[in-house]
Amino acid sequence: MVDSVVVARVGIPRLRDTRGRTPMMALKHGYEEDTLEAPRWSQTGNDHTEAPELQPAVFEQEDPRAIARALKQSAESSMRRKAPPFRSAMSMLVFYINRAGKTLPQRRVDILEQAKDELRDLYGKPRKAA
């Protein structure tokens, strides 16, 4: 949303968006000129991610062990990861759970939480205390 604001010093109306950015500021920071809105951070993350490639529909599987194995395989085969494979795989799983938020049914949450424990088992880490 763009509002017209009068600059007191000069008395010239200037366009600003709701965050106070002028069109030049918006262009300088890579926002769309006509909307002056920033791209969503999640879309930017998806477009420019360094995350390993995942099998399609890996998080929709019913078997927690299969989810964990797929994440492990993906993390270990990736040449772009910045963290050890365990941290990379666990981060992908936690990111998915957090992005789904309250829309994720409790049954899926339980399966994905079990997948975390299976992932810990695959890497020889202790399970989370119940």
Side-chain angles (χ1 to χ4, degrees):
M1 174 180 268
V2 178
D3 296 324
S4 180
V5 177
V6 175
V7 179
R9 209 167 23 121
V10 185
I12 302 169
R14 296 178 69 182
L15 290 178
R16 289 184 180 268
D17 69 355
T18 55
R19 295 182 187 157
R21 288 185 299 255
T22 64
M24 281 307 294
M25 291 167 62
L27 288 174
K28 179 180 176 184
H29 295 288
Y31 305 134
E32 296 295 325
E33 182 178 10
D34 54 343
T35 64
L36 299 179
E37 291 182 8
R40 293 180 182 259
W41 72 267
S42 57
Q43 183 62 45
T44 304
N46 286 337
D47 292 344
H48 306 289
T49 183
E50 292 296 322
E53 296 294 323
L54 287 173
Q55 299 170 2
V58 68
F59 296 110
E60 279 79 37
Q61 297 180 36
E62 294 296 318
D63 181 19
R65 189 151 186 87
I67 296 170
R69 280 194 307 263
L71 289 170
K72 180 180 181 185
Q73 186 274 329
S74 178
E76 289 179 347
S77 66
S78 174
M79 294 294 144
R80 300 183 295 176
R81 87 180 123 74
K82 298 177 182 177
F86 172 72
R87 278 187 45 202
S88 181
M90 189 63 79
S91 292
M92 287 185 277
L93 184 53
V94 169
F95 181 78
Y96 179 80
I97 294 169
N98 289 345
R99 288 293 297 154
K102 295 177 181 174
T103 63
L104 201 59
Q106 187 59 44
R107 182 173 176 278
R108 292 297 316 152
V109 172
D110 293 342
I111 290 171
L112 295 172
E113 289 294 331
Q114 292 170 10
K116 285 184 184 180
D117 280 335
E118 294 295 337
L119 194 56
R120 289 181 184 105
D121 282 348
L122 290 173
Y123 281 99
K125 307 278 185 188
R127 283 182 171 249
K128 187 177 179 182

